[in-house]
Amino acid sequence: MVIHSVSSLKDDPTLTTRDAARLLGISVSTAQKWIESGALESWKTPGGHRRMRQSAVIALLEERTAMSADALQSMPQELRAERAPPYPVPHDEGARLRMVGRTGLLDTTADPAFDRITWLAGLITGTPISVISLLTAKRVWFKSALGTDLTETPREQAFCNHVILGEDMMMVEDARADTRFSANPLVTGSPHIRFYAGCPLRGPDGHALGSLCVIDRTPRRLDAAQKEGLRALADIAEDEIRLYMAEHGRR
């Protein structure tokens, strides 16, 4: 057990989970996952709230950002965050892109495990198109796609740019009536997206990698059971990503 002097404690303030998330440049939910996994040392107050020392947060920040210049130089351009991208990005976009690269999934061949998920997503929701996607800085690549011949789209056209900003499903009942998407080439032209629902897919460290989404060419909505089914399939897709990483020695 480490005994801190009164003066050292004053110099090392106690932080809340939200404070730690802000300092680390991650979402509160990601900070909570790091705390639960033991990556960030913390303790519980009598009221059940998590607290941690600023020094522990700074140490973790230094560890997470200790990537050598050589490693950064060798990273593919599409896995480097752009300075002024023409699309919305999470505040942790750089770390998110590195996690996408670490999965080892980009440009891999078709996998029945992921194809079963998109098939079930279409079956549960009754939509003609379903996709599991990963977002790089340049494109949205489809690990699995049902009902479309597309294998990727430009990042700036991606509906899932907005999905990865949130914690839960995003649903667009009619893209023509949504100012975020009404002028999107995927709406005004093929495949003529009208309805879209997508759940974020997160990697082992909590960063959003892409989405599981379903698409229709006519306006509609999902009922409660369909929403829960899509969320459950997104959880399964995340499990498959972790399994793939473990089987291929990715960390």
Side-chain angles (χ1 to χ4, degrees):
M1 180 178 179
V2 178
I3 305 298
H4 298 277
S5 68
V6 173
S7 61
S8 68
L9 291 178
K10 288 181 179 178
D11 295 335
D12 191 8
T14 299
L15 304 182
T16 65
T17 301
R18 186 171 297 278
D19 293 334
R22 188 179 301 112
L23 189 57
L24 290 164
I26 59 177
S27 66
V28 173
S29 62
T30 298
Q32 289 169 337
K33 290 179 181 179
W34 288 6
I35 291 168
E36 291 167 3
S37 70
L40 178 56
E41 184 180 352
S42 67
W43 70 91
K44 278 188 177 181
T45 67
H49 301 291
R50 286 286 181 180
R51 296 291 184 266
M52 60 286 305
R53 290 291 173 195
Q54 180 175 287
S55 59
V57 177
I58 291 174
L60 180 60
L61 179 62
E62 291 174 346
E63 176 187 336
R64 292 276 171 174
T65 56
M67 179 177 285
S68 68
D70 289 342
L72 283 171
Q73 191 64 32
S74 64
M75 184 182 295
Q77 188 64 41
E78 69 173 332
L79 294 179
R80 303 184 199 179
E82 297 191 358
R83 292 186 178 180
Y87 47 79
V89 296
H91 64 272
D92 55 356
E93 177 71 354
R96 190 198 69 77
L97 287 169
R98 290 194 291 274
M99 188 67 236
V100 171
R102 283 166 52 195
T103 66
L105 281 167
L106 279 175
D107 298 317
T108 53
T109 57
D111 187 326
F114 291 99
D115 291 343
R116 280 192 291 269
I117 294 171
T118 50
W119 177 77
L120 282 169
L123 185 67
I124 289 172
T125 61
T127 52
I129 301 172
S130 49
V131 175
I132 291 174
S133 66
L134 298 177
L135 279 70
T136 76
K138 301 293 186 183
R139 59 183 173 138
V140 180
W141 177 74
F142 300 167
K143 175 56 187 171
S144 177
L146 179 70
T148 177
D149 293 329
L150 294 174
T151 58
E152 61 183 50
T153 62
R155 174 75 186 267
E156 58 267 23
Q157 296 178 7
F159 278 53
C160 43
N161 281 325
H162 298 270
V163 175
I164 65 172
L165 296 178
E167 299 293 331
D168 195 13
M169 179 187 304
M170 181 188 82
M171 187 163 64
V172 179
E173 295 181 11
D174 187 348
R176 294 171 301 180
D178 192 313
T179 55
R180 295 173 297 175
F181 309 114
S182 57
N184 189 305
L186 301 177
V187 175
T188 59
S190 181
H192 301 285
I193 295 175
R194 296 295 178 264
F195 169 80
Y196 175 98
C199 295
L201 299 178
R202 301 190 179 278
D205 65 353
H207 287 106
L209 307 173
S211 73
L212 167 64
C213 67
V214 292
I215 295 167
D216 206 336
R217 298 181 181 89
T218 58
R220 54 170 299 176
R221 64 178 60 182
L222 300 182
D223 62 30
Q226 290 171 324
K227 290 178 184 177
E228 286 307 305
L230 192 60
R231 290 188 182 101
L233 288 175
D235 289 341
I236 295 171
E238 290 180 344
D239 290 342
E240 289 295 338
I241 291 171
R242 292 182 177 88
L243 180 60
Y244 179 92
M245 293 178 68
E247 290 179 343
H248 292 79
R250 311 291 298 196
R251 292 187 176 183

